[in-house]
Amino acid sequence: MRKITTLALAAVTALVFAASAGATVVNLDGHANASTDGSTAKTLSLGAGTYEVMFTQDQYMAFSRWNSNMSCAGDGTHCSQGWENSAVFTAGAQTFYFGDSDGNGGYGPNADGSYYDSAARSFAHAGIYSQLFTLGTAGNVSFYIFDDNLSDNRGGISLSVTKVDVPEPAGLPFLLAGIGAIGLLAYKRRKSASL
């Protein structure tokens, strides 16, 4: 019975919180898709709904605003020049500065404004970032890297954009009642089995 209860709870949780569609990957090249005004952005046409943006490893892991690293600590952090994970995207009237130092050019991933010595080390840090946005109606969302001097850039950024189901507030009492009923049933069966 415990196994059935666990499976039922897992199924309910999966139905409520699972993504309704697979992720779309947006690859942003450090040269072709970098600007300060979004003029080089890649655009996705998305339907109404709530979406989650995260860094992913696809064509790119991270980008650098320079052609070399400089003044890194022995552990590969605190570089004055190096690798980062940051991007900007616009959804409707909202602009999101996403990732290291909120993706707002010239600042690296650490609070002190420093960078990493490799794309892999920067990407390993990038898992802390996740951004939700909601489109009330279908529309375009534009993604780009914020930078102004592109000649020495290296790498790029890969983002996953996933539509997620958010439970309706009116349905939450029913969800909680269902979970409670499953728990009560498991309790009663466990109690009768022990007698």
Side-chain angles (χ1 to χ4, degrees):
M1 180 61 198
R2 181 179 293 164
K3 190 174 189 179
I4 293 172
T5 304
T6 302
L7 290 173
L9 285 172
V12 169
T13 303
L15 287 173
V16 172
F17 295 105
S20 63
T24 299
V25 175
V26 179
N27 290 305
L28 302 175
D29 181 83
H31 292 278
N33 304 116
S35 63
T36 57
D37 60 2
S39 59
T40 59
K42 281 195 173 179
T43 301
L44 288 182
S45 295
L46 299 173
T50 298
Y51 295 84
E52 180 179 32
V53 177
M54 298 178 72
F55 292 103
T56 191
Q57 184 174 350
D58 192 70
Q59 187 174 348
Y60 303 106
M61 280 197 299
F63 90 101
S64 176
R65 302 171 189 278
W66 302 278
N67 56 16
S68 64
N69 299 335
M70 186 179 287
S71 305
C72 299
D75 65 354
T77 63
H78 296 89
C79 303
S80 61
Q81 292 182 183
W83 296 85
E84 67 182 277
N85 282 79
S86 65
V88 179
F89 64 94
T90 58
Q94 287 188 290
T95 299
F96 297 87
Y97 296 93
F98 178 62
D100 296 334
S101 286
D102 298 326
N104 196 1
Y107 300 99
N110 300 314
D112 62 4
S114 63
Y115 300 83
Y116 291 95
D117 69 347
S118 69
R121 194 179 309 273
S122 180
F123 181 75
H125 163 82
I128 65 172
Y129 301 119
S130 173
Q131 178 68 56
L132 292 175
F133 69 91
T134 300
L135 294 175
T137 59
N140 292 332
V141 181
S142 299
F143 301 84
Y144 64 99
I145 295 171
F146 187 97
D147 196 19
D148 57 353
N149 182 12
L150 312 182
S151 62
D152 56 352
N153 285 8
R154 296 179 284 169
I157 296 296
S158 293
L159 300 169
S160 68
V161 182
T162 307
K163 187 173 183 182
V164 295
D165 288 330
V166 178
E168 293 292 328
L172 285 177
F174 295 110
L175 173 66
L176 294 174
I179 292 172
I182 291 170
L184 181 62
L185 178 63
Y187 171 77
K188 285 183 176 183
R189 291 214 178 173
R190 193 171 42 235
K191 189 173 179 179
S192 67
S194 66
L195 295 176

